[in-house]
Each structure stands twice: as C-alpha cells, then as structure tokens.
Amino acid sequence: MPHTADMQVETWSPTAEGCIGEAVRAVVESFADMSGAAVVGERAYAVTGESDEDLLVSVLEEVVYRMDADGEIPFDVEVGPIRSAGDGRSLAVRFRMADAGTAVPVGAVPKAVALHGLLLRGGPGGWTCRVTLDV
C-alpha cells in the first residue's frame, strides 16, 4: 500500500462466505505464524450489516478486537451462509482461537479495518474480496 501504515489483502473463493473466511486467514498469516500456537477454545457469534461488505468488515473487526481484548488469534474460522435479515444481511461465524502469546510474530499487527478500497464481489469465476487494514 502507498501508505506505510496500511496493509491490503485480496482473496478469492467460489462463495462469498468462503471469501470472508480466506480474508481472515490471510490477515492472520500476515502477522502471525500459527503453526505452534496453542488452541484455547472456540468463539461463535452472529454478524449483521447492510451489505455483504459490511459483514466482511464486521468479521475482521472481531479478529482485531479479540487480539486486543483477549489476547487471542483465530487459529481457524468457519463462516456460515449469508442470509437476508430484515433490511440487511447476516451470517454466523465460529473461530477456533489460539493464545496470541504462543504464535510467532511475522509482521505488523492490524489495529483497525479501513473502509477505503473495500470490495466483496461475485463474478463468473467466483468471489473476490479486498480489504485494507491499518497496522
């Protein structure tokens, strides 16, 4: 990214849900080697938003929050189907969490999810998502 405090990830998948899961994995891999990390449990929650892009942002904001508040990093992620929810969209997410202290740092830890350059779009070859994070 042109700005030294930004990191951008772009992922692909046959489904929007898969793309969101791949974005979580890409973000985690950008700053932590999880190969020896100790799994400490699971966290499940529901995300709502006005659009699929809002869901992507909410899931990644949860990753940043869990690192900051609980010292946990997603070791793995499971993303349920995106559903209509009133005027918006929703999905369920389940993280297998690892103790951040047992992961090996390999890059700058994200501090926030930025909205500029945000993309979650389907096409003939599947889904693409792109997100920028402040590091």
Side-chain angles (χ1 to χ4, degrees):
M1 293 293 305
H3 191 278
T4 58
D6 286 347
M7 171 186 66
Q8 190 174 71
V9 297
E10 188 168 349
T11 62
W12 303 267
S13 178
T15 66
E17 297 87 352
C19 211
I20 292 170
E22 289 300 322
V24 170
R25 289 179 191 93
V27 167
V28 170
E29 288 174 5
S30 75
F31 69 89
D33 176 354
M34 301 295 287
S35 60
V39 175
V40 294
E42 290 191 3
R43 297 210 185 255
Y45 68 102
V47 174
T48 59
E50 292 181 17
S51 69
D52 292 352
E53 289 174 333
D54 290 339
L55 299 177
L56 170 63
V57 169
S58 293
V59 170
L60 292 175
E61 284 177 339
E62 185 71 10
V63 171
V64 172
Y65 172 76
R66 292 289 174 197
M67 286 185 305
D68 188 45
D70 301 325
E72 296 177 350
I73 302 172
F75 186 82
D76 197 15
V77 61
E78 218 176 278
V79 179
I82 295 174
R83 303 182 188 281
S84 294
D87 292 338
R89 313 284 278 157
S90 71
L91 62 79
V93 179
R94 179 178 303 279
F95 290 125
R96 278 185 66 212
M97 302 303 286
D99 179 344
T102 63
V104 176
V106 296
V109 176
K111 303 295 182 206
V113 181
L115 298 179
H116 65 275
L118 181 64
L119 172 75
L120 179 59
R121 183 178 312 151
W127 286 77
T128 300
C129 76
R130 182 176 53 241
V131 65
T132 302
L133 296 110
D134 298 329
V135 294

